């Protein structure tokens, strides 16, 4: 059903008449306005937001579009102009077949078995695992997580910094050890996630809840509509990256070597650990940890992000995590290298890793936003009337030209 949008603009009245005709026309017009307000109140929150957004960009009179403008004058000299804009039902509610996501049963069965083997790996970790295997597993887990966060997410998806060929090659190997598919495919899905954030077209269910974003999104196929949107994502920058395209071409050769054979063979071949430790700890438990941490890149905003519609004290999570608006900041300005994947800013293992690489000359042009840049951007938006995000990006780019090359050593950050 289409949602009518009614905007009423009343000019200054010239005179005030107490005639019966004026009262009759005024009561009739008041009744119409009251009915419109009641209709608006019946809309859901999402529809109301859509109405308010559309009201800001109402199609002007005479332009092409599904709009209608009514104007007239009352007997008291008061001119009333009513603009009604109708949103087609086909654009707001696509066909169900086009948006239905079916379960990927191979992934469902694999995820169930992985959880069972990973949980059993916790028992093996404390009973049949040597210390060197524990350190080796922790190292591979850290490499996989950095490959997903510092590599696929901050470097290739958002271009928060530039990396040398050596660093890009190392991060490519680390990302392969995350078991998330190729960099190319991961980045394409993540860019669609940002582009369609909080809508039904988001492949990671950002319009639903944490369980959908963390689990269901990764064990279901994309809908036909999402497949078409995915094909439209601009990937020309990655297609010109030889390391990314090398991994994309040989991913299914690199994956079994780095992700499967290396963690299983090394404990057995080089320091004679048990088969249980190699399979259930170095492979299954490690895979379970890396997989869920990497998946949380797209669903962490449910955990650490503040929701203006819910009080933080409404959930017991207040005792476990510190919520903030930093996840929302990341979706607003994703190019800041200091934006943490898990609710932090300017701290964390990934941010420290990028700064260390920058100090070694492996990472350059670290993009960030300072407090002064935010103030100038907001002022610019107020003065010019341009979109706030565009003004913030412009102010941030101008500020980056004035920052010292080693600004990351001073921990310049928003406050």
């Amino acid at each position: 059903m289409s949602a009518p949008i009614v905007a009423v603009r009343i000019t200054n009245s010239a005179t005030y008449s107490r005639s019966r005709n004026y009262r009759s026309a005024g009561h009739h017009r008041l009744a119409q306005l009251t009915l419109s307000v009641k209709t608006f109140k019946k809309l859901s929150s999402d529809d109301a937001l859509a109405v308010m957004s559309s009201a800001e960009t109402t199609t002007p009179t005479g332009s092409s579009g599904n709009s209608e403008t009514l104007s007239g004058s009352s007997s008291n000299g008061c001119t009333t102009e009513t603009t009604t804009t109708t949103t087609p039902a086909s654009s707001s509610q696509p066909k169900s077949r086009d948006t239905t996501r079916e379960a990927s049963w191979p992934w469902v069965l694999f995820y169930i078995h992985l959880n069972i083997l990973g949980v059993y790996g916790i028992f093996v970790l404390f009973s049949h695992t040597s210390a060197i295997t524990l350190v080796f597993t922790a190292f591979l887990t850290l490499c996989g997580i950095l490959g997903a966060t510092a590599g696929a997410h901050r470097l290739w998806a958002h271009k928060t910094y530039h990396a040398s060929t050596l660093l890009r090659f190392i991060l490519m190997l680390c990302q392969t050890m995350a078991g998330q598919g190729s960099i190319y495919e991961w980045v394409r899905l993540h860019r669609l996630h940002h582009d369609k954030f909080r809508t039904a077209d988001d492949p990671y269910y950002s319009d639903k809840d944490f369980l959908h974003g963390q689990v269901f999104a990764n064990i279901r196929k994309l809908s036909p509509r999402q497949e078409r949107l995915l094909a439209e994502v601009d990937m020309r920058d990655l297609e010109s990256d030889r390391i990314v395209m090398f991994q994309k071409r040989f991913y299914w050769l690199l994956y079994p070597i780095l992700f499967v054979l290396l963690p299983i063979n090394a404990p057995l071949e080089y320091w004679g650990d048990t088969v249980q430790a190699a399979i259930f700890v170095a492979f299954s438990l490690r895979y379970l940890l890396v997989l869920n941490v990497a998946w949380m890149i797209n669903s962490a905003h449910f955990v650490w992000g503040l929701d203006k519609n819910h009080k933080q004290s409404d959930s017991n999570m207040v005792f476990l995590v510190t919520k903030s608006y930093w996840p929302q900041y990341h979706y607003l300005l994703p190019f800041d290298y200091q934006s943490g994947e898990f609710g932090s800013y300017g701290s964390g293992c990934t941010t420290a890793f990028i700064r260390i690489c920058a100090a070694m000359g492996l990472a350059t042009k670290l993009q960030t936003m300072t407090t002064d840049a935010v103030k100038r951007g907001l002022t610019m938006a107020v003065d010019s009337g341009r979109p706030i995000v565009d003004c913030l990006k412009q102010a941030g780019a101008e500020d980056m030209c004035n920052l010292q090359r080693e600004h990351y050593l001073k921990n310049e950050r928003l406050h």
Side-chain angles (χ1 to χ4, degrees):
M1 179 181 294
S2 59
I5 302 172
V6 180
V8 179
R9 187 164 63 248
I10 303 178
T11 58
N12 294 329
S13 59
T15 59
Y16 181 80
S17 173
R18 299 180 181 273
S19 64
R20 183 176 301 175
N21 293 335
Y22 165 76
R23 293 177 181 176
S24 177
H27 287 313
H28 177 67
R29 197 164 282 109
L30 179 61
Q32 289 182 335
L33 182 59
T34 304
L35 179 62
S36 300
V37 172
K38 290 181 178 179
T39 303
F40 184 82
K41 287 183 177 180
K42 291 181 180 179
L43 297 176
S44 63
S45 59
D46 292 338
D47 293 334
L49 290 174
V51 168
M52 289 186 288
S53 300
S54 301
E56 296 176 358
T57 57
T58 304
T59 306
T61 306
S63 64
S64 61
N66 196 6
S67 63
E68 182 180 346
T69 302
L70 305 176
S71 60
S73 58
S74 61
S75 59
N76 66 339
C78 177
T79 303
T80 304
E81 181 179 322
T82 304
T83 304
T84 303
T85 303
T86 303
T87 304
S90 60
S91 62
S92 60
Q93 296 181 352
K95 296 180 180 179
S96 59
R97 288 184 179 180
D98 204 34
T99 58
T100 301
R101 297 184 62 175
E102 298 180 355
S104 176
W105 290 110
W107 259 109
V108 172
L109 297 175
F110 175 77
Y111 189 61
I112 292 174
H113 285 81
L114 180 63
N115 277 270
I116 295 174
L117 297 178
V119 171
Y120 179 68
I122 299 176
F123 169 76
V124 176
L125 177 66
F126 294 101
S127 59
H128 300 84
T129 305
S130 63
I132 190 171
T133 300
L134 175 60
V135 174
F136 177 70
T137 302
F139 174 74
L140 293 182
T141 303
L142 178 61
C143 288
I145 293 174
L146 287 177
T149 56
H153 187 217
R154 301 198 199 183
L155 174 60
W156 282 297
H158 298 306
K159 304 294 182 183
T160 64
Y161 64 98
H162 290 190
S164 65
T165 303
L166 176 60
L167 180 57
R168 284 174 24 240
F169 182 77
I170 294 174
L171 288 174
M172 181 271 290
L173 297 179
C174 291
Q175 196 276 340
T176 306
M177 288 189 284
Q180 295 289 301
S182 68
I183 297 170
Y184 186 91
E185 295 301 330
W186 193 96
V187 169
R188 188 161 66 152
L189 278 168
H190 187 74
R191 287 179 177 177
L192 180 61
H193 164 63
H194 270 258
D195 186 48
K196 303 299 180 181
F197 186 64
R198 296 293 190 188
T199 69
D201 292 327
D202 183 5
Y204 295 104
Y205 291 115
S206 58
D207 61 328
K208 293 187 179 296
D209 51 42
F210 176 74
L211 183 61
H212 279 80
Q214 179 70 8
V215 180
F216 295 157
N218 295 284
I219 60 176
R220 289 177 179 173
K221 301 176 183 177
L222 296 180
S223 67
R225 176 180 173 84
Q226 289 172 331
E227 290 285 359
R228 292 195 300 270
L229 293 172
L230 190 65
E232 297 173 359
V233 176
D234 186 5
M235 299 292 291
R236 288 175 294 180
D237 56 331
L238 265 65
E239 290 170 357
S240 62
D241 191 320
R242 293 181 297 176
I243 292 179
V244 172
M245 299 310 293
F246 169 81
Q247 191 224 29
K248 181 176 182 289
R249 182 177 180 182
F250 298 102
Y251 180 78
W252 293 111
L253 178 62
L254 297 171
Y255 174 81
I257 296 175
L258 296 176
F259 192 79
V260 181
L261 295 180
L262 176 63
I264 293 179
N265 183 69
L268 298 174
E269 184 72 21
Y270 299 110
W271 52 86
D273 209 339
T274 62
V275 176
Q276 293 93 326
I279 295 178
F280 297 112
V281 177
F283 178 75
S284 299
L285 180 58
R286 174 188 60 87
Y287 195 1
L288 184 62
L289 293 174
V290 175
L291 193 69
N292 281 278
V293 171
W295 282 357
M296 286 190 70
I297 295 176
N298 299 301
S299 60
H301 60 92
F302 288 115
V303 180
W304 283 275
L306 283 171
D307 189 345
K308 63 181 180 180
N309 298 320
H310 300 90
K311 293 181 180 179
Q312 186 177 0
S313 57
D314 290 343
S315 171
N316 292 329
M317 291 294 292
V318 68
F319 299 105
L320 303 177
V321 299
T322 302
K323 291 180 176 288
S324 68
Y325 282 113
W326 288 122
Q328 284 87 338
Y329 168 80
H330 170 69
Y331 285 95
L332 184 69
L333 300 173
F335 59 83
D336 193 337
Y337 87 95
Q338 298 191 83
S339 291
E341 286 77 11
F342 313 115
S344 63
Y345 181 84
S347 60
C349 179
T350 303
T351 302
F353 173 80
I354 296 174
R355 288 173 179 162
I356 293 173
C357 292
M360 298 172 61
L362 298 175
T364 58
K365 299 182 180 179
L366 278 61
Q367 305 295 315
T368 189
M369 286 287 291
T370 63
T371 303
D372 293 336
V374 172
K375 292 179 180 177
R376 289 200 310 274
L378 294 176
T379 303
M380 190 186 307
V382 173
D383 294 340
S384 64
R386 293 167 52 200
I388 295 179
V389 175
D390 294 344
C391 294
L392 288 174
K393 289 181 179 179
Q394 179 180 341
E398 295 172 354
D399 193 66
M400 286 301 301
C401 298
N402 300 324
L403 285 178
Q404 297 180 358
R405 183 178 179 182
E406 294 80 14
H407 63 87
Y408 54 87
L409 297 177
K410 299 180 180 180
N411 195 18
E412 180 68 26
R413 52 171 290 174
L414 292 170
H415 57 271

